[in-house]
Amino acid sequence: MDMAIKPKSNAEKILSFLQKRGGGASEEELCRHLGLDAGECKEALDELIMEDKIRGSEIGKEKIWGTKKEESLYDFLQGRYSLDALKLDEEKGEIKSITGSVVAIISREFFAQMYSTMEGAKYGSMYLGVVKEIGRGISLKQAEEYKKVLGIKPDHYLVHLEKIINAFRYHCMTGWGKLEEVVPQKDGVVLRLSNTFESSAVMKYCPQNVHEPTCGILLGRALGLFEGFTGEQFEAKETACRSLGSKYCEFSITLKKK
């Protein structure tokens, strides 16, 4: 006797979609892809939340839903960047992170002196371009590491946006500033930050030498994460900077036009 195949519930459809996609999705996307109305989608999401199978994260003004697997990135980053994981080897004169990398603690004063020297030598713009590429290169390598941890492949930035923002947020928490807000824009986002290491350094120690935005390293770090997770090319510009009088530093990250 033939057994009738039980159709999937809306909750099962949503969970299956998120698992196959390997990234987050908004309620609007879930409704569009799965043919659900807003009420059906909310009811199914509530069911999955009660079963502890999904969680939501605020991205700008929108909530993005993802599977619990996404939390492995939190665990990985928390372990990697925990300040408790720094160990001093007095015999060798080294500080090592939990990953075994040898690190050095650099003060704002040191950074400001480096910036001021380059600016005084009339290499200001060149300096910012160079450090932006350095930051980008570091993040490209780290994005590869994160993708291996999560078992994901490059995809559109909206698919991996939650992961990108989480990775960048944790990087900021290691002393580079505070990510205050993520504002969606056409083909990208604006990252709004306070108390960035680079702007704070030059504001305190060499404000007279500031003629353009100063957060080249951090801008490069954001750019590298977007490109590393997606395999796409992006434009990255610092459109506002505290060192030039703005309340926040703002990074505009947008897909390059093909």
Side-chain angles (χ1 to χ4, degrees), residues 230-248:
T230 64
E232 300 272 11
Q233 289 189 317
F234 285 77
E235 297 277 2
K237 296 179 181 179
E238 186 171 9
T239 54
C241 188
R242 293 170 63 245
S243 63
L244 293 174
S246 298
K247 184 177 180 180
Y248 298 104

Side-chain angles (χ1 to χ4, degrees), residues 86-97 100-105:
L86 295 179
K87 293 183 179 180
L88 172 63
D89 186 332
E90 293 186 27
E91 187 174 330
K92 292 184 178 180
E94 292 180 346
I95 299 175
K96 285 189 176 181
S97 72
S101 299
V102 177
V103 300
I105 297 173

Side-chain angles (χ1 to χ4, degrees), residues 158-184:
L158 287 175
V159 174
H160 291 326
L161 184 58
E162 182 182 0
K163 304 177 188 67
I164 295 168
I165 297 303
N166 285 335
F168 183 65
R169 191 186 305 278
Y170 272 97
H171 171 66
C172 290
M173 288 170 60
T174 63
W176 287 90
K178 182 180 180 183
L179 179 60
E180 297 283 357
E181 191 176 5
V182 180
V183 183

